[in-house]
Every structure is written in C-alpha cells, then in structure tokens.
Amino acid sequence: MANIHFIGGEKGGVGKSLVARTLAQYMIDRNMPFLGFDTDRSHGALMRFYSGYASPVLVDRYESLDAIVEAAVDQPERRILVDLAAQTNDPLVKWMDESGVLNLADEMSVGITYWHVMDSGKDSVDLLKKLLDRFGKELRYVLVRNQVRGNNFSVLEQSGEQARAMELGAQVVAVRHLHDGVINKIDATNSSFWAAKNTAGLENAGLGLMDRQRVKMWLREVYREFDTVGV
C-alpha cells in the first residue's frame, strides 16, 4: 500500500521543516524508500538538506501537485513525504476537493497521513480544530507536539481538540528540544542529520564529539516516537 505523508501545521515557525527533515532521515536510517516533495519556494528544507531525495512542488498549480499522487500510485513501494510550507492549506484543500484526491486515494489504496506539527500556543490548537472540522475521519492524523517550540501543551490538552483527534484515531508524538547551538551549526552548513551524527560528516558539519553525541541521542528519542506511528 502506498502512503503519502503531509507534514503541515499551516502556521509558520512551528517546526514543520524540522519534522520533515527528521522524518526523511528516519526513513533513510530505517531503509524505507521514499520520495520527497517540497512546497516552500524560497527556504525548502527537503531541497536544502535532502536534495537527492526531493523535488519542488508548487501548491498553486494542479499539475505540480498531481505529481504527488501519481508518484504514490506509480511507485507504491516508496513512501511519499511532502513538506508543506506555511499558508499552503487553502490551495492544498482546493486541489484535493476539485480533483477528488481522497476518493482516488481510496480507490487506488493510497493511505494519506497528515502530520499536524504544533507549538504550545493557541494558534496551533485553532488550526487543528479547523483541520478536524474539514476532514474528520477522511485523513489519518499524527499530532506532533514540538517541544523545540515550547513544552507546556496545557492549552491543547484543555481545549478538547487533542482528545477529539484521538477519538478519530490520531496518534500523538513528541519531538523534544535539541540544543540550539547544535541545530544552528547543522543549519549553517546545510548538513543532513546523517552528516551531523557521524564522524565522516564532522568536517562538513563543524560539530564536536559531544555535539554529535547529542544529535545521536536526540534522533534516538525521536525515532522511538516515530516507531509508534507505523510510518
């Protein structure tokens, strides 16, 4: 069965691209063949850090978005990973509605998972409500509580939206904070997480022994979370 993974959250700065990059490295390390699509025209993380696996896609052009579904159908052995830039929800939903994407996916046995990346603020909760109101049981959901952007998710828990999502079958994962100095060095050198955690990538990533150890430990914990999803 083919699987499309949309990494979204609509709001800028919640860590969507970090999650997409980590999920790409997870698939590489777990020997899961995948194809990446990057919707960010100017700062595409998959194109920047995993260019060998990714292609650009324009959310305001149907023929460009069509390539996502066509790739899933043509290469069902590969996961499809789509990094959604901020403010791409409306054109994405319009494409899905007018093209009958969900019906086609059901007919072609293509699973669609939406990873809703959240910080600890109310905006992320409001956007989750909007997502659930729109799609209900039509999508599979993974709620990503990104602790890089805050670790107090009481607003989400008290809103009832997390419980509502879980009633729809959603899974909840956490991405804990990675030391700012480490992630800044990785980003500054356009390094993949593989380069950051391995001695062979030391020269390119500019990370010391303990920096690389922190990356390894962080990835190990995030991978445990991803393992529960069944990517």
Side-chain angles (χ1 to χ4, degrees), residues 98-120:
E98 296 186 1
S99 305
V101 170
L102 295 179
N103 289 337
L104 179 62
D106 186 56
E107 292 173 8
M108 304 299 292
S109 297
V110 175
I112 298 180
T113 300
Y114 191 100
W115 297 61
H116 183 72
V117 184
M118 310 181 68
D119 62 14
S120 57

Side-chain angles (χ1 to χ4, degrees), residues 41-85:
R41 295 173 188 250
S42 57
H43 301 94
L46 289 183
M47 290 297 297
R48 178 181 173 191
F49 297 98
Y50 293 92
S51 58
Y53 298 86
S55 302
V57 63
L58 303 176
V59 294
D60 54 356
R61 296 185 183 179
Y62 282 14
E63 63 272 19
S64 186
L65 289 169
D66 289 347
I68 296 170
V69 176
E70 290 167 357
V73 173
D74 293 342
Q75 303 184 57
E77 74 283 0
R78 294 180 180 271
R79 278 86 171 165
I80 304 300
L81 177 59
V82 185
D83 185 6
L84 296 173

Side-chain angles (χ1 to χ4, degrees), residues 205-220:
L207 299 177
L209 173 64
M210 295 307 300
D211 285 334
R212 287 184 284 114
Q213 178 65 11
R214 281 185 279 271
V215 173
K216 290 178 182 178
M217 292 181 63
W218 180 77
L219 284 175
R220 189 180 304 134

